[in-house]
Amino acid sequence: MAKIPAGALKSLQEKAKSSGISLGTLKKVYARGQAAYMSSGSRPNVSMAQWAMGRVNSFIKGSKKHDTDLR
């Protein structure tokens, strides 16, 4: 699993607490977001951290596009 920056980890902890989804699961989703950023490209002016956190937010909202095996 890729290293998660301290600021992102704090945000993941807060999201885990408010959403009821475990921190471990959100870390996996974040790491997959980082990997997707590296492998498939991204939009211009979007950092890896933003891309990965966007995937986490999408997961929390119930998106069935990615990470369905973690539900």
Side-chain angles (χ1 to χ4, degrees):
M1 192 180 303
K3 178 108 169 97
I4 299 175
L9 184 58
K10 185 175 190 301
S11 181
L12 289 175
Q13 289 169 335
E14 292 168 3
K15 289 175 185 295
K17 189 173 185 178
S18 66
S19 70
I21 299 171
S22 75
L23 178 59
T25 298
L26 294 184
K27 282 181 175 180
K28 287 178 188 175
V29 174
Y30 188 91
R32 290 179 182 187
Q34 289 177 316
Y37 177 90
M38 296 303 289
S39 68
S40 62
S42 64
R43 293 188 176 117
N45 302 318
V46 176
S47 71
M48 183 191 305
Q50 290 170 319
W51 190 266
M53 196 58 73
R55 187 159 172 156
V56 169
N57 292 334
S58 177
F59 181 82
I60 290 171
K61 289 178 183 173
S63 172
K64 295 188 175 27
K65 187 173 182 183
H66 303 291
D67 307 308
T68 55
D69 61 314
L70 299 178
R71 296 213 171 271

